[in-house]
Amino acid sequence: MSKQPGSSTAAEPDQPELAPVEAAEQPEAAPVEAPQQPAAAADGRTPVAPGALVLALVVVGWLAAMLWSTRAAISSAAAGVTAISLSAYALPGVITAALVAGAAVALAVANRFERATVRFLAAVGTGLLVGLAAAVAINLTYADNATTNTIAGTTAAAAIIGGALAGARNAPVVGGLAAATLAAQLFVVLFSRARDPLSDLFGAGESQQSMLDAAKWVSRTESLLAGLVAGLVAFGYLTWARRRAARRDGAVGQPRWPAYLLAGAGPGLLLLLTEVIIRIGGRGLLDLAAALSEADEVAQTALGTSRVDNGIWVLFVGALTALIAFGRTLGPRPVLDDEEEPAG
């Protein structure tokens, strides 16, 4: 046979030399997508929220303290008008505590399950049990009237909604949201001691206008600081969850920025959700308190507007704080070896 340069026989020795080139190029594209996976266990299991049991116990204690303080305030007040006003004033704090309690307790139970459907059903059922327990405690310890029934019903509904939130697949985000909300609420209680000195600092005088202006600035300062606390706690919790999962399950990916955004904004979202629950379930109590006098009507309107503003401030400040804290942990983008080679 002739072995001319253009014949197929002459081209046969060149074919084995192309195979290693193609084999060398093949495995380089595989590891590119690996760092893009969200934080999860190395074996594919659903990530759990660390410290969920401790968080649940603390939040249940906080709910019990809110219910006890509300009962003490209503019992010490004069029957009728003052009790109704105090009930309407204390209702938002109780509802927020019930939301967080339902979410935290349901999260501690849902951590034991892997399947998403089972987790959601277990979380909703746990929230229902927490709500029923809180409603029974209110009916047994509070005075038997329409105000008590309104507080019990809205508290039970809030706990069930909180339990449904805990059924989400990303449990660390829910845990960070609950921890940040609890921290923000505790800060608000501690901040109450500084309201009078800050009112004087912001120019509160004897005129009603100066007092209103000073109260507005005090409220904005409280919301700003509460959002800052919420964002830092949410970031700290998610960072702790990631490191704990890395020690237990091996290599895990860094949670993406939406996880920190949602956890930081969560306390503000819960405050706005509290307002929705109050205006639907507790509408009768608010209307009854506003109908007592013109001054009470103005006060209830102002309080509702202030709560909405506070929720919006906490939402944005918490989200920005968590994102900024997360951004400071990011290092420079790694440069791959093939990016340094010429395009040719």
Side-chain angles (χ1 to χ4, degrees):
M1 297 177 63
S2 63
K3 298 183 179 180
Q4 297 178 2
S7 63
S8 59
T9 307
E12 289 179 356
D14 296 336
Q15 292 179 356
E17 297 179 1
L18 297 177
V21 176
E22 296 176 355
E25 295 178 354
Q26 191 69 18
E28 291 184 359
V32 175
E33 298 181 356
Q36 302 297 327
Q37 299 295 330
D43 54 359
R45 293 179 300 170
T46 302
V48 298
L53 182 59
V54 176
L55 179 62
L57 293 176
V58 175
V59 172
V60 168
W62 173 251
L63 175 60
M66 292 297 297
L67 293 176
W68 178 84
S69 62
T70 302
R71 174 188 174 277
I74 295 175
S75 300
S76 63
V81 176
T82 309
I84 293 174
S85 299
L86 289 176
S87 299
Y89 179 77
L91 187 61
V94 174
I95 298 305
T96 303
L99 274 171
V100 182
V105 177
L107 189 62
V109 175
N111 269 344
R112 302 176 179 272
F113 303 99
E114 294 292 334
R115 296 182 59 183
T117 304
V118 178
R119 284 176 59 89
F120 181 77
L121 293 177
V124 174
T126 305
L128 177 61
L129 293 178
V130 174
L132 290 177
V136 170
I138 292 172
N139 284 323
L140 292 178
T141 57
Y142 285 45
D144 188 10
N145 50 39
T147 299
T148 299
N149 295 333
T150 300
I151 297 176
T154 51
T155 301
I160 296 172
I161 295 174
L165 293 177
R169 187 171 181 83
N170 200 332
V173 174
V174 180
L177 184 151
T181 306
L182 176 62
Q185 293 300 304
L186 290 174
F187 171 80
V188 170
V189 173
L190 297 176
F191 185 83
S192 61
R193 299 179 178 272
R195 284 175 182 161
D196 292 338
L198 283 178
S199 296
D200 297 336
L201 180 63
F202 288 131
E206 297 181 356
S207 63
Q208 185 177 5
Q209 185 62 37
S210 63
M211 295 177 63
L212 290 176
D213 293 339
K216 182 184 298 183
W217 282 105
V218 170
S219 178
R220 289 178 179 177
T221 303
E222 176 184 337
S223 302
L224 176 64
L225 295 178
L228 182 64
V229 171
L232 292 177
V233 171
F235 166 76
Y237 186 91
L238 287 180
T239 303
W240 174 45
R242 177 180 61 83
R243 292 176 179 176
R244 186 174 181 272
R247 290 194 302 266
R248 188 187 63 178
D249 301 318
V252 293
Q254 174 81 349
R256 297 180 179 179
W257 62 267
Y260 290 88
L261 176 67
L262 183 58
L269 292 175
L270 287 187
L271 290 177
L272 296 177
L273 181 58
T274 296
E275 191 65 21
V276 173
I277 296 174
I278 291 173
R279 299 195 177 191
I280 295 177
R283 187 67 184 180
L285 178 59
L286 297 181
D287 292 341
L288 187 60
L292 296 175
S293 64
E294 293 183 0
D296 288 312
E297 183 178 1
V298 173
Q300 290 299 325
T301 303
L303 287 175
T305 304
S306 177
R307 290 192 298 265
V308 173
D309 292 342
N310 177 56
I312 294 175
W313 274 85
V314 173
L315 189 155
F316 284 103
V317 175
L320 288 177
T321 302
L323 280 182
I324 292 173
F326 168 69
R328 292 182 61 86
T329 63
L330 298 178
R333 181 177 179 271
V335 180
L336 301 178
D337 296 337
D338 55 356
E339 293 182 356
E340 297 179 354
E341 298 179 357

